[in-house]
Amino acid sequence: MNTIKITREKEVSRSTMYNVLYILPLAMVLFALITTSPKELIEGIGTIYKSNDILLTDYLLIAGTGATFLNAAVVLLVNLWLIKRLELKPNGIIIAALFLLTGFSFMGKNMFNIWPFYFGGYIYSRYHGISYKNVVIINMFSTAFSPVASLIGEMMGTNVIAALVIMAVVGGFIGFIMPTVSSRFVTFHSGYNLYNMGTAAGFVGMLVYALINESSITVTKNYALLESNDWRVVTFLLLYCIALIIIGYCINDKSFKGYKHLMKHSGRLITDMIKQDGFGLSLMNMGFLGLMCMGFIFILDGSFNGPVVAAMLTVMGFGSFGKHPRNVWPIVAGVVLGWYFFKIETSTSMLIISALFGTTLAPIAGEYGSIIGMLAGILHATLIQNIGALHGGLMLYNNGLSGGIIAAILIPVIDAFKKENKA
């Protein structure tokens, strides 16, 4: 097994991996230019940069398809350039972070509101005398707080200088502390919540929201979702998933060999599928997960709006870092069961978003089986309805916070019922 892994790593060079990763942003740029006029693109990007980005902000609704795709492409291209400049070879967590960034660029992230967190991380690396490459991935995930930066920009109005300075101070401070804070929370959920930053950022977000709320600053939640389908978007996503499977198949010596072994992973942190199973198999897994998500959306007659696309791309990204069809489906099924059993009265889009993002708990299904996995999904369906009020929508990884709390409680309960084998 070790021989197979080493051979695959040698076959796939860093340049090849980057070439594959560049396909998505370049295709998005081309898609935007073909489908949208320059005037509409400029107006749409302006709308995105001026929005407050508090949950839920659907860029496809407020800015249009072309501008949203262009925004996601720019965010992904800049981050790809950054990690390439730092001479990092893509691994599971890097690809997960890149796809998460791309996904949330459909519903809350843009270059205007994410830069302060990188600035803070860079200051952290200089302060502690370490290379920035050791911090940059955490900075990518720390952009969960992008609505905070957008809120500051909105408050400052036309005073751009003041907005940038305050964003640098506030966002920079958050970016500075998150590397240390996030590392402490892995033990909180014992690695059974894949969105570890969501848990860490959620608790920090509670404090930030409390301070803002007591300062008499009004935080207005957004809830405007596109409830129709642009079939150009659907076609784009479908073709991209198929492309990942084909590319992965070719890289993996034109075979599916090893995929059965990949799906035996529990997914518990840290499960880097690229290192353990190879780049080709990871790409195929990401593509299969994307098709699985699309099938789920079609079954529920859902809409491919900004948050739904964000959830889908996030699931795909973590297809290189812990998720696969075998440990994902019980969570999705559990969320759906919980939704209907408790008669939760929200839109189909919210059900889909909760189910797909809820796969942060996939390691529980992978470790304890499908029944416990569905139980985790049922619990997530209920908790996610109430957790957002704690941070006021100022932190984007709502499901990561919910998943962390569920894992922190459910795993000890399961262990409490285990009987130790006596010698």
Side-chain angles (χ1 to χ4, degrees):
M1 188 59 65
N2 290 334
T3 303
I4 294 174
K5 184 186 76 170
I6 293 170
T7 302
R8 285 178 181 152
E9 287 183 355
K10 287 183 178 179
E11 287 176 351
V12 184
S13 66
R14 181 169 62 183
S15 61
T16 299
M17 297 174 83
Y18 275 106
N19 288 339
V20 172
L21 292 174
Y22 273 114
I23 291 174
L24 179 57
L26 294 179
M28 283 181 159
V29 171
L30 183 61
F31 177 87
L33 294 176
I34 291 175
T35 60
T36 312
S37 68
K39 180 182 178 182
E40 290 174 322
L41 285 176
I42 293 171
E43 291 176 350
I45 291 294
T47 300
I48 287 173
Y49 280 29
K50 292 176 183 177
S51 62
N52 68 12
D53 298 312
I54 296 170
L55 283 176
L56 292 162
T57 303
D58 187 346
Y59 284 171
L60 287 173
L61 177 66
I62 69 171
T65 300
T68 301
F69 269 69
L70 184 60
N71 176 64
V74 169
V75 170
L76 181 52
L77 283 170
V78 169
N79 280 277
L80 275 170
W81 171 84
L82 180 59
I83 62 172
K84 191 173 183 180
R85 176 85 181 228
L86 293 171
E87 299 182 344
L88 289 167
K89 184 175 182 179
N91 56 22
I93 188 63
I94 288 175
I95 291 179
L98 289 171
F99 271 71
L100 180 141
L101 271 169
T102 307
F104 276 92
S105 295
F106 281 73
M107 60 164 289
K109 296 185 182 183
N110 54 70
M111 288 310 303
F112 175 72
N113 64 16
I114 66 174
W115 69 266
F117 309 102
Y118 293 82
F119 170 70
Y122 179 74
I123 298 299
Y124 175 90
S125 69
R126 300 289 292 179
Y127 180 80
H128 289 280
I130 60 176
S131 173
Y132 182 57
K133 67 172 63 178
N134 297 321
V135 180
V136 65
I137 307 305
I138 299 174
N139 287 164
M140 291 168 138
F141 285 116
S142 297
T143 55
F145 288 103
S146 56
V148 175
S150 293
L151 183 63
I152 292 170
E154 185 181 55
M155 288 169 53
M156 293 298 102
T158 57
N159 196 335
V160 179
I161 302 288
L164 293 176
V165 170
I166 298 174
M167 285 167 66
V169 173
V170 177
F173 176 75
I174 293 173
F176 184 90
I177 66 171
M178 288 315 294
T180 304
V181 173
S182 63
S183 66
R184 300 293 194 273
F185 274 87
V186 176
T187 56
F188 176 74
H189 51 74
S190 303
Y192 287 97
N193 173 41
L194 289 175
Y195 308 158
N196 180 59
M197 181 59 77
T199 308
F203 279 92
V204 174
M206 293 180 203
L207 181 59
V208 171
Y209 178 58
L211 290 171
I212 289 176
N213 204 37
E214 291 304 317
S215 300
S216 300
I217 297 173
T218 302
V219 177
T220 304
K221 291 184 181 180
N222 298 321
Y223 187 81
L225 297 175
L226 185 67
E227 294 297 352
S228 61
N229 278 318
D230 184 335
W231 292 104
R232 297 171 301 175
V233 174
V234 177
T235 303
F236 180 95
L237 294 171
L238 178 61
L239 292 176
Y240 183 64
C241 291
I242 294 172
L244 284 180
I245 294 171
I246 294 173
I247 295 170
Y249 179 82
C250 293
I251 291 175
N252 196 51
D253 297 327
K254 295 183 179 179
S255 78
F256 294 102
K257 186 177 180 181
Y259 192 61
K260 185 176 180 181
H261 175 267
L262 181 148
M263 289 202 292
K264 291 181 179 179
H265 295 307
S266 70
R268 185 180 178 186
L269 292 176
I270 297 174
T271 303
D272 190 329
M273 291 167 170
I274 291 178
K275 289 185 176 181
Q276 296 184 33
D277 303 281
F279 187 55
L281 282 171
S282 296
L283 289 178
M284 283 192 282
N285 187 49
M286 292 165 65
F288 285 134
L289 283 171
L291 293 179
M292 182 178 174
C293 290
M294 294 188 76
F296 174 65
I297 297 166
F298 283 131
I299 289 172
L300 293 185
D301 195 24
S303 302
F304 285 79
N305 51 46
V308 167
V309 173
M312 174 181 165
L313 290 175
T314 300
V315 172
M316 291 174 65
F318 276 85
S320 67
F321 197 67
K323 294 183 184 180
H324 51 72
R326 185 167 166 266
N327 66 5
V328 159
W329 77 261
I331 306 298
V332 173
V335 172
V336 174
L337 287 173
W339 210 270
Y340 287 105
F341 180 79
F342 291 104
K343 297 180 180 179
I344 298 173
E345 296 181 359
T346 53
S347 67
T348 301
S349 286
M350 289 307 300
L351 167 56
I352 294 170
I353 294 165
S354 299
L356 296 184
F357 275 129
T359 56
T360 182
L361 294 167
I364 294 180
E367 183 79 20
Y368 295 100
S370 57
I371 300 300
I372 299 297
M374 285 190 281
L375 174 60
I378 291 170
L379 294 174
H380 182 73
T382 57
L383 184 57
I384 196 63
Q385 301 306 307
N386 303 283
I387 204 77
L390 298 176
H391 54 76
L394 294 174
M395 191 280 300
L396 293 176
Y397 307 158
N398 202 35
N399 289 268
L401 174 58
S402 173
I405 293 173
I406 289 169
I409 296 172
L410 183 58
I411 299 305
V413 170
I414 294 171
D415 291 341
F417 283 92
K418 283 185 178 180
K419 290 185 178 181
E420 296 184 8
N421 293 324
K422 295 182 179 179

